[in-house]
Amino acid sequence: PCSEVALLQFHIASIHSGREDFSEALKGFNNALSIFSKLEGEKAKKGAAHTLANIAHLYRSLGDLQKSEEHVEQALAIYYDFGLNEEIL
């Protein structure tokens, strides 16, 4: 239920990102992140990490390297906490 909504938000944000509508993409990714962050379990944590990585990519595209780095670090922390190192590659 909630995880499906988060995934839909993630996919809609990805479409906006592909269209270079970065403000809408950022809203969608932040909505997805908000939902994933409230959920328990590895699937939700993976979703949050993937979402953070996509937000980092958006900020890099916008030239905000500081925010990009912050989001990459948050994503990496989740991957490492859950032993998801192979997901990074």
Side-chain angles (χ1 to χ4, degrees):
C2 285
S3 62
E4 285 86 10
V5 172
L7 286 172
L8 289 172
Q9 287 285 338
F10 179 91
H11 291 299
I12 291 168
S14 295
I15 291 168
H16 286 295
S17 180
R19 293 180 179 160
E20 296 186 0
D21 185 355
F22 298 132
S23 64
E24 285 300 311
L26 194 55
K27 284 183 205 174
F29 284 131
N30 280 321
N31 287 338
L33 182 60
S34 176
I35 296 168
F36 281 129
S37 297
K38 294 175 186 171
L39 300 174
E40 297 290 325
E42 186 176 316
K43 185 177 178 180
K45 299 305 177 195
K46 272 183 167 179
H50 289 320
T51 304
L52 285 162
N54 277 275
I55 292 171
H57 177 73
L58 278 179
Y59 279 123
R60 188 181 69 213
S61 296
L62 293 169
D64 192 336
L65 300 181
Q66 179 66 36
K67 284 188 179 180
S68 179
E69 183 178 12
E70 290 169 10
H71 285 81
V72 166
E73 288 174 358
Q74 290 176 46
L76 284 172
I78 293 169
Y79 284 122
Y80 290 136
D81 283 349
F82 278 84
L84 301 173
N85 301 352
E86 69 277 359
E87 294 286 330
I88 297 169
L89 305 175

